[in-house]
Amino acid sequence: MLIELKDVNKTYQGAQPLHVLKGIDLTIGKGEFVSIMGASGSGKSTLLNILGILDNYDSGEYRINGNLIWNLSETKAAEYRNKMIGFIFQSYNLTPDLTVRENIEMTAELVQEPLSTDTLIEELGLKKYETHFPKELSGGQQQRVAIARAMVKKPDILLCDELTGALDTKSSKDVLQRVQKMNDTYKTTVVIITHNLNIAGMA
Ligand code: ADP
Ligand code: MG
């Protein structure tokens, strides 16, 4: 199994400890398109951050391809993130002083056999904007760059946190269709957080 969570728990410490993830069991196979739904504050981002090895859990087991993801060194965690995981945040997180093409190429340099930047620019409808800077793009266009930037590493797993949360319906649909195409073309496993029923329906 590509992703396997067994009885995963996570509590945020503080004046009032908050037990956010309570015994999560979840298995996701290669090539699946999965959506995680839940009310605001229910722990969706917490779960996704654990899947993306951006945060730790307290107990239970998280395995990728059978390998236990627990207490990894920063080097090892970065290696997993670079080679296996693409992360798309609601807030695009593009580098403002790099062009569209440069934003994608910067990430391509992290791996030995990246996908072709040209192909992704084409597939994500960014040809006209490749020399533009992020601030010159609409939200939907920026999100498409974020998809290209995550995909160029040819990740096994693409994690999307409310990637259409800030977009209008039309742009949301376009962005989602692009993600679906990535799932289709590259057999990338997609995990998408949403509180939108229509999006969940695509998964
Ligand atoms: P969702 O993404 O479903 O809206 P989150 O995973 O972001 O939910 O948050 C779940 C709960 O944990 C919320 O009550 C939130 O306030 C709390 N929380 C999230 N991150 C932290 C943190 N770093 N420290 C303490 N509490 C947090
Ligand atoms: Mg969230």
Side-chain angles (χ1 to χ4, degrees):
M1 202 43 70
L2 180 62
I3 289 175
E4 224 175 342
L5 296 185
K6 264 194 207 148
D7 198 18
V8 163
N9 287 276
K10 169 80 177 177
T11 298
Y12 288 115
Q13 299 303 337
Q16 288 275 316
L18 193 62
H19 192 179
V20 176
L21 301 183
K22 299 171 186 161
I24 302 290
D25 293 307
L26 175 69
T27 54
I28 302 174
K30 184 173 156 47
E32 281 194 63
F33 190 111
V34 175
S35 81
I36 296 174
M37 294 195 72
S40 183
S42 60
K44 303 182 298 296
S45 295
T46 301
L47 176 60
L48 207 72
N49 289 342
I50 289 171
L51 292 177
I53 325 182
L54 295 168
D55 200 1
N56 296 310
Y57 52 100
D58 300 323
S59 65
E61 285 182 4
Y62 171 27
R63 290 176 189 276
I64 299 179
N65 283 331
N67 299 306
L68 189 62
I69 305 297
W70 176 255
N71 258 341
L72 299 184
S73 66
E74 190 39 50
T75 317
K76 192 77 190 162
E79 196 181 307
Y80 268 106
R81 285 197 300 263
N82 287 342
K83 291 201 177 137
M84 295 200 70
I85 300 168
F87 214 110
I88 306 177
F89 301 89
Q90 180 174 348
S91 55
Y92 322 133
N93 279 25
L94 302 175
T95 306
D97 54 350
L98 295 181
T99 64
V100 165
R101 170 172 284 277
E102 289 164 348
N103 261 283
I104 302 167
E105 282 173 342
M106 184 183 82
T107 309
E109 285 167 16
L110 293 172
V111 295
Q112 259 168 10
E113 291 181 43
L115 293 176
S116 145
T117 297
D118 285 319
T119 306
L120 283 171
I121 282 178
E122 198 65 51
E123 286 176 347
L124 288 159
L126 293 166
K127 188 75 195 147
K128 272 199 290 194
Y129 313 105
E130 61 178 324
T131 59
H132 288 216
F133 291 94
K135 68 170 190 296
E136 301 168 331
L137 303 175
S138 72
Q141 290 161 349
Q142 288 186 60
Q143 199 56 294
R144 271 144 56 190
V145 180
I147 296 170
R149 201 183 49 170
M151 281 302 301
V152 76
K153 294 189 301 176
K154 214 174 168 186
D156 298 272
I157 307 165
L158 182 64
L159 303 171
C160 314
D161 196 349
E162 308 231 3
L163 84 168
T164 63
L167 302 177
D168 58 55
T169 313
K170 188 162 168 282
S171 315
S172 298
K173 215 170 154 189
D174 173 69
V175 162
L176 283 165
Q177 282 168 348
R178 308 270 181 185
V179 172
Q180 221 172 23
K181 182 101 188 296
M182 295 294 120
N183 172 248
D184 233 37
T185 309
Y186 301 107
K187 304 299 168 224
T188 311
T189 303
V190 175
V191 182
I192 198 165
I193 282 180
T194 182
H195 42 225
N196 182 329
L197 267 172
N198 295 327
I199 296 178
M202 294 169 74

